Amino acid sequence: MPAGPRAGCDEGVGTGRHHVAVALTLVLGPANSAKAAEVLGAFSSASSRGPILVVPTSADALHYTRELVRDGTLLGSVLTFEGLAAEAARRAGVARRTASHLQRLWLVARVVRGLRLRALGRSAATAGFATAALALIAELERAMIDPARLSGALARWASADGRRAAYASDLAAIYSGYARELERLGMDDAELRARRALDALRAAPSRWGATPVFVYGFDDLTALELDAIETLAVRVGAPVTVSLTYEPGRAAMEGRAEVAEQLRSLATRVIELPARDDHYAPGSRRALHHLERRLFEERDDSERIEPGESIAMLEAGGELAEAELAAQEVLGLLERGLAPGEIALVHRAPESIAALFCRVFGACGIPLAAELRVRFSHTALGRAVVGAARCALAPELAAPGDLLALLRFGLIESQDDVDEIEAAILRGGARTAAEAQALAGLELRELQSIAGARDQAAELSRLARRLMARAGALRPAQARRPRRSHVRALAVLERAVAELAAIGSRPRDSELLSLLDALVVEAGAGALAGDAVALAGPLDVRARRFRAVLVLGLQEGTFPRGPLTDPFLPDELRFELAAVAGLRLRPRGDDLAAERHLFYATVSRATERVVLSYRSCDEEGNMVLPSPFIADVEHLLAEGWRDRRRRRELGDVTWPAALAPTERQRTLAAVRTEPPSQLAAFAGQPSLQPAALTGEPSSRLAACAEGAERARLRLTARSLPRVRHTRMLSAGALERYGRCPVAWLVESQLAPMPLSPEPAALSRGTVMHRVLEALVRELGGPPAEPTMARALELLPGLIDSAVAECGLSPGAIGVVRAAARHAIEAELARYIGHEARSAAAWRTHALEVRFGFDDERSLPPLRLGAGPDEVLLRGVIDRVDVDDRGRVIVRDYKSGAADWGWAGSSWLAECRLQVGLYMLALSQLTELSPVAGLYQPLRGADLRARGAFSDDADLGSAVAHTDARTPEELEELLAAVRDRALELAVCLRAGRLEPCPHRCSRDGCAHPEICRST
């Protein structure tokens, strides 16, 4: 490990045979004090000596390279500090390989797996442990704390309390093991390379030469960056100029005083520049200069000024509303003549909002440059590759969706074939990829190749290339160029495999799955691309100016950011290490001074307009408090400034017409306030679109108008003949039509193929019906007191047979299916006891009585009406009981609990016609005389049957006595059921479709995506 620098700030420093003079110029001043002119002017003057300009980010480097080329400065270089370290390593002859971030992370994970950790053993098994450990190692290296120094400090800290020894030993072992791994591989990471290069330059200063270095745009420097400046200026003697945003005594800059004063002690020349206002736009000069000079200073209400249009505020109800307000603001700025590259959106954590803002700004046609990162597994190619890896390496744990993602990306050429496979998998209720493959009958050699490969990662990479080539071949000829997202995802995967192979690692099985889960794809443009609006963080914009800056996310906990903590070295431990061992690490907790400086640096980047934006609530309507920085700005401005803010609430679906930012939004606003003329006739009417169901043009909606009071929708003459069963109707379908015609159309006529497994309630009901039918056959009649014991003895076997034949809760895990089976047994045992105790002198006459079907077991259809209006009905009656006098009870089993709508008094209002129609069928088609029609619940607290029965029928306690009627009343009820059925049949034959969401199902409209009437 390289040694740290020696302190020193003498004018001349002796280093063996060399004697160099300190050549450090320090340029200090507040924001907008012409520091750029001072530094860049000196850089241009030194262009003949090949100077180096060091800026904070790679985007800044690109920007200033363009600026300098445009100004005619061609002989210099613009680098970041990492680039400066690489140049120093090249000149000093340090040629060791540099580990990438992935290689470093993998080495940390390898070290952790190889250690026997006593205190951190359980934590080390968690997914984020290696990432957190690497973050700490990088921080220690930037602070120039090597493993030996950390081990010594932790040992001294642990000596005060023996219980600390295991923790101190574990932490030191991880850092030391990482350093040994790098040394074994002959590699450095970025921080070690910089330190090794600086050590080499200190040993041989002449290798650098006399190249001047100019450091611009920084407001803070790490210990390693300070060491680089000291080495070049003090040890090597190269001309170094450093610019810092700092002004003694300013509250906004308290957090940067230590670095500035440390450099002042080294500098031979200090230039302190005064604040200037000449770079602001004339109309904004007074307000923005006042904001820069007075922000965070002591308040003086006499200094409040009117900002005009220079400083504005936005209040949004949720993230989406904030993005929409920001897009509206940017569109206004573009209309005023600003170029996209002159506008910056600044957020404390831009990566958290990048995807949303890209979507909203893209819809508005605004070019947005953002560092958009997506997980490899969230890309189309990534989903397919991860699915292949899971199916090959952990088929019993992989989900069916993993297999489908692989098939969808091109492993199977026909997407129709994949649709059929998916339907089979979903209907079969497969829960794992192994079950899905068995259901679909698939044997994929690609998966077998991955599982059996010596280098599984390389084999997976080869599969990814084949998948991308095959997916491209399946696309239309004019669009066969590979998509950019696919190319990026493939590049990330191949680079990761190559990087791990370079350190002798070939991940297998669970390690390979962990690798795929950790990969990230860069999916956006650079945050400071010159031809687009920039979405960036405060640290990304500090070296540039913009005409307009929008500061987003000004809520408590976001900006200023809430307290941070390090999982390994919390602030309390950092303070103790500093006290007992002199090891100084910056606290990670609440650093308000640093947050203030970032906000000051952000708002000072604008030359024309500053917009402050905050969210008043989250996406669920929970209140969010605004940032205290808003109040700090408000106290500088005129009374009432905050009241002028533009607002967009959480519930605002459309914009006011005058504020709508795009043509589409203006159209939506117009529709909201005044429906278009072609829809005016149907305003407030059911919004079913028949074109979506029958293929008819939507303009024919006018032909469905009927009556002056209400428009009714109907099937067209062209589509009505395609409706099944217009002559022979099912009793159940007729009842469904009566409750909601739209639901009847979807479920009985369109009959879409279900993709999901049969709902648990339906499968449970099917099993219960089968068991009761078999039980009554075995007993020769309904359960009674003498046969109750035999019934309970038969019950488990009958349930097992029914479950094997019909299935139960497909797709559920084993314990859930077992629980459902036990629940059925308990419920049926309870029902058997109920029926046995309440049975009267009735015997079962028939089960599953069919009428209206074309088979020899079926009775003829039920005929209602006469002539051209005659209706034929068919159905299946669950059970028919008779007594010695030939009287009949019609029973219809219901697997749920009792429903008040089953009562005979509710049959017409709730359109419960099925049992009544069954009674009419038996009366017309047989010599039997129905005296009761009952819906029999099989679950719930009350197992009494509900319906309607003649009061002279002896039904015991098995029914609710409030459902009793005189024979005359029962005849009247059945006649009303007959009339209602005929009325519904006429409407159905006419094709009338009237949405009835209030009675479509117990949860309201069952098909809102189609009906859209609620």
Side-chain angles (χ1 to χ4, degrees):
M1 182 68 66
R6 296 187 300 273
C9 56
D10 299 315
E11 293 285 338
V13 180
T15 57
R17 293 175 295 172
H18 300 279
H19 184 82
V20 297
V22 177
L24 176 61
T25 299
L26 181 62
V27 181
L28 302 176
N32 307 320
S33 56
K35 297 187 298 297
E38 181 74 28
V39 175
L40 298 182
F43 177 85
S44 298
S45 299
S47 61
S48 61
R49 293 184 285 164
I52 294 175
L53 176 65
V54 182
V55 292
T57 68
S58 57
D60 293 330
L62 179 61
H63 169 75
Y64 282 103
T65 297
R66 291 172 175 170
E67 292 287 320
L68 292 170
V69 169
R70 188 180 60 190
D71 294 340
T73 304
L74 304 176
L75 299 179
S77 301
V78 186
L79 307 171
T80 62
F81 257 115
E82 186 175 353
L84 178 67
E87 179 64 17
R90 185 186 67 82
R91 296 190 185 192
V94 177
R96 290 163 65 98
R97 293 180 299 161
T98 303
S100 68
H101 175 78
L102 177 63
Q103 289 171 326
R104 298 175 67 179
L105 186 62
W106 209 255
L107 291 177
V108 171
R110 180 190 294 175
V111 168
V112 170
R113 286 194 301 269
L115 293 173
R116 297 184 61 183
L117 302 174
R118 293 181 293 164
L120 295 174
R122 293 180 63 184
S123 299
T126 60
F129 186 87
T131 301
L134 179 59
L136 175 63
I137 289 171
E139 181 185 5
L140 291 169
E141 290 179 336
R142 287 192 296 270
M144 305 188 67
I145 298 172
D146 57 30
R149 188 177 173 198
L150 178 67
S151 298
L154 288 172
R156 294 187 61 181
W157 169 74
S159 64
D161 187 341
R163 292 172 296 181
R164 301 173 175 175
Y167 184 82
S169 175
D170 287 353
L171 200 56
I174 293 172
Y175 191 12
S176 300
Y178 169 77
R180 285 194 301 271
E181 278 293 298
L182 284 177
E183 191 61 33
R184 181 182 65 83
L185 295 168
M187 301 178 72
D188 287 331
D189 55 29
E191 290 80 10
L192 289 179
R193 179 185 63 177
R195 292 185 62 184
R196 198 178 299 276
L198 295 176
D199 284 347
L201 287 181
R202 280 192 287 269
S206 59
R207 291 187 176 183
W208 179 263
T211 304
V213 177
F214 299 85
V215 181
Y216 172 73
F218 292 86
D219 50 35
D220 194 17
L221 296 166
T222 67
L224 187 56
E225 291 166 346
L226 287 170
D227 184 48
I229 292 171
E230 180 186 8
T231 298
L232 292 174
V234 178
R235 308 297 179 183
V236 175
V240 179
T241 301
V242 179
S243 166
L244 285 180
T245 300
Y246 177 69
E247 187 177 12
R250 286 291 303 275
M253 304 179 195
E254 288 179 359
R256 302 296 182 255
E258 181 179 358
V259 171
E261 296 306 322
Q262 187 174 350
L263 285 174
R264 189 193 295 269
S265 68
L266 294 174
T268 55
R269 182 182 178 213
V270 178
I271 302 173
E272 296 188 83
L273 300 175
R276 295 172 58 175
D277 64 0
D278 52 357
H279 73 282
Y280 295 113
S284 306
R285 181 168 297 153
R286 181 168 180 264
L288 296 184
H289 186 63
H290 177 70
L291 176 64
E292 188 276 320
R293 298 311 301 155
R294 299 301 305 162
L295 184 62
F296 299 127
E297 298 300 307
E298 292 184 6
R299 295 172 181 172
D300 186 349
D301 288 345
S302 64
E303 297 183 8
R304 286 176 176 256
I305 65 168
E306 170 56 50
E309 294 295 318
S310 303
I311 306 174
M313 182 185 293
L314 308 176
E315 178 187 334
E319 291 183 355
L320 177 59
E322 184 173 38
E324 292 171 336
L325 279 174
Q328 182 198 36
E329 171 70 22
V330 170
L331 285 172
L333 293 171
L334 296 176
E335 289 176 0
R336 287 166 49 183
L338 276 71
E342 296 175 319
I343 304 170
L345 310 177
V346 183
H347 191 276
R348 189 66 179 88
E351 66 280 356
S352 66
I353 64 169
L356 172 64
F357 271 67
C358 286
R359 186 172 73 247
V360 172
F361 274 54
C364 294
I366 304 171
L368 182 69
E371 296 289 351
L372 182 60
R373 295 171 179 161
V374 298
R375 295 173 67 129
F376 174 76
S377 57
H378 290 179
T379 65
L381 176 64
R383 284 192 295 269
V385 171
V386 172
R390 289 174 178 167
C391 293
L393 306 178
E396 298 302 328
L397 299 178
D402 294 320
L403 177 64
L404 291 171
L406 174 61
L407 301 180
R408 286 274 178 216
F409 199 80
L411 193 63
I412 292 181
E413 293 185 4
S414 172
Q415 290 299 306
D416 291 339
D417 291 344
V418 181
D419 290 341
E420 292 182 7
I421 292 172
E422 181 175 8
I425 290 172
L426 292 175
R427 288 197 302 270
R431 300 195 68 258
T432 67
E435 293 176 0
Q437 284 186 253
L439 277 172
L442 295 174
E443 290 187 11
L444 302 178
R445 288 174 296 178
E446 292 86 352
L447 302 184
Q448 298 169 3
S449 298
I450 295 171
R454 180 181 179 186
D455 189 343
Q456 293 177 341
E459 183 65 27
L460 194 64
S461 180
R462 284 190 286 271
L463 174 63
R465 288 195 296 273
R466 292 197 300 270
L467 285 175
M468 196 166 78
R470 190 177 300 179
L474 295 177
R475 299 176 66 194
Q478 66 272 21
R480 285 186 179 173
R481 292 184 61 188
R483 294 179 180 175
R484 184 177 301 176
S485 61
H486 298 168
V487 175
R488 287 174 171 171
L490 179 61
V492 166
L493 175 62
E494 293 193 328
R495 183 168 60 248
V497 173
E499 287 178 355
L500 294 184
I503 59 174
S505 181
R506 290 180 172 83
R508 297 182 57 84
D509 301 330
S510 61
E511 284 187 356
L512 180 54
L513 295 176
S514 298
L515 168 65
L516 297 175
D517 190 56
L519 296 181
V520 175
V521 179
E522 300 286 346
L528 295 180
D531 55 353
V533 176
L535 174 61
L539 294 175
D540 298 320
V541 300
R542 54 187 170 172
R544 285 185 55 186
R545 288 180 184 156
F546 301 86
R547 289 179 65 182
V549 172
L550 282 70
V551 190
L552 308 170
L554 285 171
Q555 301 86 233
E556 275 196 0
T558 302
F559 201 0
R561 186 171 58 186
L564 299 177
T565 185
D566 185 276
F568 295 101
L569 294 180
D571 285 353
E572 296 82 359
L573 179 52
R574 292 175 183 235
F575 294 141
E576 291 177 13
L577 290 174
V580 302
L583 189 147
R584 295 187 59 194
L585 285 169
R586 288 185 179 179
R588 298 284 300 275
D590 189 8
D591 193 352
L592 182 59
E595 294 295 298
R596 279 182 165 184
H597 185 87
L598 289 176
F599 181 71
Y600 163 82
T602 298
V603 298
S604 66
R605 296 298 86 205
T607 63
E608 194 168 318
R609 183 171 170 84
V610 170
V611 180
L612 309 180
S613 173
Y614 74 98
R615 300 197 300 270
S616 56
C617 67
D618 61 19
E619 294 299 318
E620 296 180 352
N622 300 310
M623 186 179 69
V624 178
L625 296 178
S627 167
F629 293 164
I630 291 179
D632 290 317
V633 173
E634 184 180 10
H635 283 293
L636 302 176
L637 306 179
E639 295 284 352
W641 167 77
R642 188 167 186 166
D643 297 334
R644 306 174 211 164
R645 66 190 183 278
R646 287 208 313 278
R647 304 177 67 186
R648 184 160 174 76
E649 301 294 343
L650 184 63
D652 291 341
V653 179
T654 61
W655 292 84
L659 299 177
T662 65
E663 185 63 32
R664 181 175 182 274
Q665 293 291 349
R666 284 189 285 274
T667 302
L668 292 175
V671 170
R672 177 175 178 269
T673 56
E674 183 177 353
S677 58
Q678 62 267 31
L679 297 180
F682 303 99
Q685 300 301 328
S687 57
L688 179 68
Q689 301 297 323
L693 306 178
T694 68
E696 296 295 313
S698 60
S699 61
R700 298 193 183 181
L701 190 62
C704 300
E706 181 177 290
E709 297 181 357
R710 188 171 188 178
R712 293 178 182 267
L713 303 177
R714 68 172 65 201
L715 293 169
T716 65
R718 188 172 140 199
S719 60
L720 187 58
R722 301 183 182 182
V723 173
R724 295 175 293 136
H725 314 145
T726 51
R727 183 170 183 273
M728 177 72 74
L729 298 173
S730 161
L734 187 65
E735 180 180 291
R736 190 71 177 115
Y737 176 84
R739 298 184 67 190
C740 181
V742 176
W744 163 83
L745 175 67
V746 175
E747 297 170 10
S748 298
Q749 305 306 311
L750 299 181
M753 181 182 69
L755 292 180
S756 59
E758 185 179 43
L762 289 180
S763 64
R764 183 180 63 242
T766 301
V767 169
M768 296 177 83
H769 275 69
R770 293 292 180 90
V771 171
L772 287 176
E773 181 183 350
L775 182 65
V776 171
R777 284 199 173 97
E778 288 286 339
L779 296 177
E785 288 286 353
T787 61
M788 182 175 173
R790 174 62 176 161
L792 295 177
E793 180 183 346
L794 291 171
L795 187 59
L798 294 177
I799 292 175
D800 291 338
S801 298
V803 169
E805 180 181 356
C806 307
L808 180 63
S809 299
I813 59 177
V815 292
V816 173
R817 289 198 296 268
R821 188 244 178 254
H822 288 305
I824 289 175
E825 184 173 352
E827 289 159 358
L828 289 180
R830 181 167 170 264
Y831 169 71
I832 289 169
H834 165 78
E835 186 167 2
R837 289 188 296 271
S838 58
W842 298 85
R843 67 181 183 277
T844 298
H845 175 73
L847 300 171
E848 299 288 324
V849 178
R850 297 157 57 84
F851 62 92
F853 290 90
D854 295 329
D855 59 70
E856 59 183 17
R857 294 180 55 241
S858 175
L859 295 171
L862 170 64
R863 296 178 180 272
L864 302 178
D869 294 331
E870 184 183 47
V871 176
L872 303 182
L873 289 178
R874 70 182 184 186
V876 180
I877 306 171
D878 284 344
R879 175 174 150 190
V880 177
D881 292 349
V882 299
D883 65 1
D884 294 336
R885 296 165 55 186
R887 297 183 301 176
V888 171
I889 300 175
V890 173
R891 295 184 185 272
D892 191 56
Y893 289 127
K894 297 294 182 182
S895 59
D899 187 330
W900 65 271
W902 298 345
S905 58
S906 301
W907 281 3
L908 297 177
E910 293 297 311
C911 205
R912 301 279 188 179
L913 309 180
Q914 196 166 351
V915 166
L917 292 172
Y918 290 167
M919 295 175 70
L920 290 171
L922 290 178
S923 179
Q924 183 183 110
L925 303 175
T926 69
E927 297 179 355
L928 302 173
S929 302
V931 294
L934 303 175
Y935 292 99
Q936 176 61 62
L938 301 180
R939 302 179 66 193
D942 187 358
L943 293 178
R944 291 179 301 170
R946 300 303 307 270
F949 63 92
S950 177
D951 57 8
D952 63 355
D954 181 16
L955 299 183
S957 60
V959 294
H961 292 290
T962 54
D963 292 338
R965 294 168 178 262
T966 64
E968 294 76 14
E969 291 172 338
L970 185 59
E971 285 295 329
E972 292 177 1
L973 176 60
L974 293 180
V977 168
R978 178 189 299 108
D979 294 342
R980 179 61 174 153
L982 280 169
E983 178 187 348
L984 290 173
V986 170
C987 293
L988 186 152
R989 287 173 170 176
R992 293 181 182 176
L993 299 175
E994 181 180 345
C996 301
H998 60 286
R999 63 174 185 242
C1000 184
S1001 75
R1002 67 179 184 180
D1003 299 319
C1005 183
H1007 306 283
E1009 301 87 352
I1010 296 175
C1011 185
R1012 296 186 297 167
S1013 62
T1014 51

